[in-house]
Amino acid sequence: MKSTIVSVLFCALSSCIASAQKLTVQSPNQKINVALFCQQNGDVGEWYIKASYNNNVKTSEALPRIDLGLSRSDQDFSKELKFIKAGKPLFIQEQYTVLHGKKSVCSNSANEVTVSLENPSKAKLNIIIRAYNDGIAFRYEFPEKQGSFVVKDELTAYTIPAETMRWMEKWNPANEGLYTAMSGDKVQQQQWGYPALFQLKDSACWFLLHESEVNQSYCGSKLSNLEEGSKYKITFPNPKDGRGMGASTPTITLPWKSPWRVIIMGSLSDIVSSTLVDDVATPSVVKNTSWIQPGLVSWNYWSSNHGTKDYKTVTAFADLAADMNWPYTLLDWEWDAMSNGGTVEDAARYIVSKGVKPLIWYNSGGNHTWVSSTPKDRMLTHESRVEEFTKLKNLGFAGVKIDFFESEKQDMIKYYLDILEDAAPFQMLVYFHGCLVPRGWSRTYPHLMTYEGVRGAEWYNNGPEFTTTAPEHNTILPFTRNVVGPMDYTPVTFTNSQFPHLTSYGHELALSVLFESGLQHLADRPEGYYELNDAAKAFLKVVPNAWDETRLLEGYPGRDVLMARRKGAAWYLGCINAEIREKRKTIRFDFLPTGVKYKLTLIADGDHDKSFSTQYRVVDKAGAIDVRMLRRGGFAASLIPIP
């Protein structure tokens, strides 16, 4: 939908507050306030913003200070900035729809003010501040019309009191770490990846730090509290990332706008349901989207690392997808060495003959990765991509998985986006692996179906650690990584790969609902699904992976999570337990519409961790049911309206 921007009246300047505070921006529902301050209590100096949240009971100072400023190769924009004016307040109001994600109809609604500053040499810097009902977004702008410069540093830094609880992932180029929960004297000093989750000491407010609208004009960033434990500063990529290829500081051309700095804020359920990272992103540049179809995927790599090398394994997974009514199957690495009965061309013909669409893996190529797995360079240039997409289209392939990016420098951001630009005319779906976490790109390029950027089920192949850490990790991801965009964890594995599960069958089944991904790769071997009981097998044949609505019903990171997602008139539930003890969870159906009865199919833990207990009931909005979960257990359920 076309954006509509109209003026609104709200308090932008106030004479009855301290002179240091120049303006406030308030969210449409009046729960979130953003205030701009000058540290020197005047019109010239260093500037910062402060964010507060009102939960209808009390107002909490969520972020007491967010430092602002940039250092450019020609001059500084941080220390002696003069306040020139605050622009006319604007009300941003936009409704838009998406093809996959946590909800299908989204609202980009905020109050916005642009603050104009200038440095001693009269060079201009604008700060655009938005207050949303579910958070805050701000960005920098150099409005002048010409000039090319290097941004030496970004001074944005979030001051967070030590007593604030936090869940953060130590930075690594593939974004595949575990989250560490910490507060007080347990707070570590590190470089940290996005997103990062925080809970105030009084539990009155949660917030999640991230960024969006990172494009060719900048690099990806991370957070660092190495210099000061309570201050998380925006930090550019390490020069060594991507084998040292590319500049770690971005080059910009004026006029220029930075990525959005995004703070999702509110209750924990507000965090989970927020689409703010996509709301601030550029609308879709793909006009015809009828070919973009989310769906479940059979995937042979988890159970057989060399599976795509074997034609018979590939056809068995194609048969699995056809039997389970999943629209896709993925040919992972080594497809170019396929034998034992056929080639990749033979496999494509077989898959298409089954009514399934094939997807195919590529190495991102180039000197930025040490990985030599082939085919390596076919996605590297515009010319090679066009040639390869042409071949794939003729063979019936529907999309590509591209792996091993290993950097978030500006040149790599451009590479990601160039791939998306070139894939669209060939109607190729795209899945990034070994990559950054989402930055709002799925709104701009809706054929970007999913990203890895997570420690997922693949880690059962990498060593014994994930066996013990997965149950807790799984209950943190719905509040962190999966909040900001699609996440291909490759879930729902019942058999074991190199290293075993401790999670129950009920826990694994629930992940099909809890984890959102436009292409949901279900990673078990065929017998892992064929040997399920009828109820679980039927559930996996119909469970959606693109949703109209998402609600957190209950949960806490690292403990448990109960989530409801709606597709059309039907609801699906997923619940998992991380703790090493049995527990009972009460499902209250008060989220259902009034006057409608539903058939509940509840597939929960059975007598042991490899069994199910299935119940069928008729429920409505007034109903509730207690469900037993094993230690590290879980359950899944469907609610289908009765005509």
Side-chain angles (χ1 to χ4, degrees):
M1 253 180 138
K2 189 175 180 180
S3 300
T4 303
I5 303 178
V6 295
S7 297
V8 295
L9 296 175
F10 64 96
C11 182
L13 296 170
S14 176
S15 59
C16 52
I17 55 178
S19 61
Q21 182 173 326
K22 297 303 294 187
L23 60 86
T24 63
V25 187
Q26 192 172 67
S27 62
N29 65 4
Q30 301 183 349
K31 287 188 173 185
I32 294 175
N33 267 357
V34 189
L36 177 70
F37 291 83
C38 178
Q39 182 170 310
Q40 286 72 22
N41 292 336
D43 286 339
V44 180
E46 298 171 75
W47 295 85
Y48 66 93
I49 57 179
K50 182 183 294 188
S52 60
Y53 175 75
N54 186 303
N55 67 353
N56 296 324
V57 176
K58 62 176 292 188
T59 298
S60 301
E61 188 175 76
L63 283 153
R65 182 178 176 120
I66 306 171
D67 293 321
L68 302 171
L70 294 164
S71 174
R72 218 168 66 183
S73 54
D74 61 326
Q75 54 193 307
D76 179 73
F77 292 85
S78 65
K79 296 195 179 301
E80 296 180 65
L81 292 174
K82 181 179 180 181
F83 182 89
I84 303 300
K85 66 176 181 177
K88 184 179 180 181
L90 297 175
F91 180 51
I92 309 299
Q93 179 62 60
E94 176 193 15
Q95 296 288 325
Y96 66 97
T97 59
V98 297
L99 299 173
H100 54 91
K102 66 180 75 172
K103 58 180 165 181
S104 57
V105 180
C106 305
S107 176
N108 179 26
S109 301
N111 290 323
E112 177 185 286
V113 168
T114 298
V115 178
S116 296
L117 307 169
E118 68 177 21
N119 69 6
S121 65
K122 306 296 184 184
K124 304 295 188 292
L125 173 69
N126 293 340
I127 301 171
I128 303 167
I129 303 171
R130 288 184 182 178
Y132 286 82
N133 289 344
D134 58 348
I136 297 158
F138 65 94
R139 74 193 311 185
Y140 301 102
E141 179 183 37
F142 288 129
E144 293 163 333
K145 302 302 182 185
Q146 59 184 4
S148 182
F149 309 97
V150 173
V151 178
K152 293 165 57 180
D153 197 9
E154 180 173 334
L155 287 306
T156 307
Y158 305 92
T159 295
I160 297 172
E163 64 269 18
T164 301
M165 189 68 188
R166 63 209 72 194
W167 289 261
M168 305 186 75
E169 177 189 341
K170 182 181 176 182
W171 163 254
N172 64 96
N175 296 283
E176 294 182 35
L178 295 170
Y179 276 82
T180 301
M182 53 193 164
S183 65
D185 60 5
K186 299 293 192 295
V187 171
Q188 300 173 19
Q189 291 184 245
Q190 281 286 356
Q191 291 188 341
W192 305 96
Y194 290 117
L197 177 67
F198 300 83
Q199 180 192 23
L200 297 193
K201 184 179 180 181
D202 62 7
S203 301
C205 175
W206 296 74
F207 60 93
L208 189 84
L209 299 184
H210 197 45
E211 65 180 2
S212 182
E213 189 68 357
V214 180
N215 59 31
Q216 297 94 331
S217 70
Y218 214 58
C219 58
S221 73
K222 53 192 171 185
L223 301 168
S224 175
N225 67 335
L226 283 171
E227 291 189 9
E228 186 177 339
S230 63
K231 184 174 288 190
Y232 293 89
K233 182 186 171 299
I234 296 286
T235 305
F236 291 154
N238 189 316
K240 295 181 180 178
D241 290 348
R243 294 184 66 191
M245 302 294 294
S248 60
T249 51
T251 298
I252 63 171
T253 300
L254 307 192
W256 170 87
K257 291 179 180 177
S258 76
W260 287 103
R261 305 297 166 212
V262 175
I263 309 164
I264 302 173
M265 184 178 294
S267 67
L268 196 52
S269 59
D270 292 331
I271 302 289
V272 168
S273 62
S274 174
T275 58
L276 186 52
V277 172
D278 284 346
D279 295 344
V280 298
T282 299
S284 175
V285 296
V286 181
K287 302 306 179 187
N288 171 24
T289 59
S290 60
W291 54 277
I292 303 171
Q293 298 174 355
L296 273 61
V297 189
S298 67
W299 183 51
N300 65 50
Y301 175 84
W302 183 83
S303 58
S304 176
N305 287 358
H306 301 283
T308 307
K309 209 172 180 179
D310 188 316
Y311 175 78
K312 288 186 170 54
T313 300
V314 169
T315 57
F317 276 83
D319 293 341
L320 171 66
D323 293 341
M324 295 296 290
N325 199 34
W326 302 339
Y328 300 102
T329 190
L330 173 66
L331 280 62
D332 215 287
W333 76 311
E334 297 185 317
W335 57 262
D336 54 341
M338 192 180 298
S339 61
N340 195 25
T343 64
V344 67
E345 291 82 7
D346 298 321
R349 284 190 289 270
Y350 182 88
I351 293 165
V352 171
S353 76
K354 290 290 183 176
V356 176
K357 299 175 185 177
L359 310 171
I360 191 165
W361 176 95
Y362 286 87
N363 189 334
S364 65
N367 290 328
H368 60 268
T369 176
W370 292 99
V371 180
S372 59
S373 302
T374 60
K376 185 171 181 181
D377 300 325
R378 300 187 196 178
M379 292 292 129
L380 195 56
T381 67
H382 169 73
E383 293 74 21
S384 63
R385 289 190 292 271
V386 167
E387 180 180 354
E388 198 68 10
F389 289 153
T390 301
K391 293 177 184 176
L392 294 178
K393 189 73 175 173
N394 290 336
L395 288 169
F397 282 92
V400 291
K401 170 184 176 179
I402 306 175
D403 206 347
F404 304 123
F405 288 89
E406 302 180 26
S407 164
E408 297 183 15
K409 296 174 183 175
Q410 186 177 22
D411 64 333
M412 194 58 62
I413 299 298
K414 182 178 184 301
Y415 182 30
Y416 279 113
L417 300 180
D418 285 348
I419 289 170
L420 294 170
E421 293 278 0
D422 286 344
F426 292 90
Q427 299 188 350
M428 283 286 148
L429 307 178
V430 176
Y431 161 25
F432 291 134
H433 193 83
C435 61
L436 46 59
V437 298
R439 300 301 209 279
W441 295 346
S442 286
R443 183 181 177 195
T444 311
Y445 303 96
H447 57 299
L448 173 52
M449 307 302 288
T450 193
Y451 312 64
E452 188 190 26
V454 66
R455 179 165 295 201
E458 187 176 297
W459 278 77
Y460 284 112
N461 291 343
N462 295 345
E465 162 266 308
F466 204 55
T467 294
T468 54
T469 58
E472 180 178 332
H473 180 62
N474 293 350
T475 64
I476 295 173
L477 294 176
F479 305 108
T480 52
R481 165 63 181 84
N482 214 182
V483 169
V484 302
M487 175 186 81
D488 200 49
Y489 175 105
T490 64
V492 193
T493 53
F494 302 101
T495 67
N496 289 323
S497 187
Q498 277 92 322
F499 296 92
H501 296 71
L502 293 179
T503 54
S504 75
Y505 275 25
H507 184 120
E508 289 296 317
L509 186 67
L511 300 183
S512 66
V513 177
L514 287 177
F515 293 166
E516 179 271 312
S517 179
L519 290 173
Q520 186 79 286
H521 293 73
L522 302 192
D524 210 344
R525 48 183 57 83
E527 54 266 34
Y529 301 112
Y530 291 144
E531 293 171 4
L532 295 174
N533 71 9
D534 289 345
K537 198 182 309 180
F539 185 87
L540 289 176
K541 288 182 178 181
V542 299
V543 64
N545 69 307
W547 304 98
D548 294 324
E549 185 178 353
T550 293
R551 296 192 190 187
L552 175 67
L553 302 184
E554 190 178 332
Y556 189 85
R559 186 188 71 195
D560 56 35
V561 54
L562 170 59
M563 190 180 294
R565 298 191 192 264
R566 180 178 61 83
K567 182 68 172 181
W571 286 88
Y572 294 81
L573 306 180
C575 183
I576 57 174
N577 173 25
E579 296 182 281
I580 312 175
R581 65 181 179 90
E582 291 191 10
K583 62 173 68 172
R584 301 190 76 83
K585 184 69 68 176
T586 299
I587 309 172
R588 294 177 177 84
F589 298 109
D590 51 4
F591 60 90
L592 296 174
T594 302
V596 182
K597 292 189 179 297
Y598 288 78
K599 178 185 177 182
L600 169 70
T601 301
L602 174 65
I603 310 167
D605 289 325
D607 294 334
H608 55 81
D609 61 0
K610 291 180 172 54
S611 66
F612 290 114
S613 172
T614 305
Q615 298 181 48
Y616 303 94
R617 295 196 185 185
V618 175
V619 300
D620 61 17
K621 184 181 181 69
I625 186 172
D626 286 340
V627 186
R628 168 179 164 268
M629 289 191 292
L630 296 175
R631 59 182 185 173
R632 310 183 191 93
F635 61 84
S638 63
L639 290 154
I640 309 300
I642 300 171

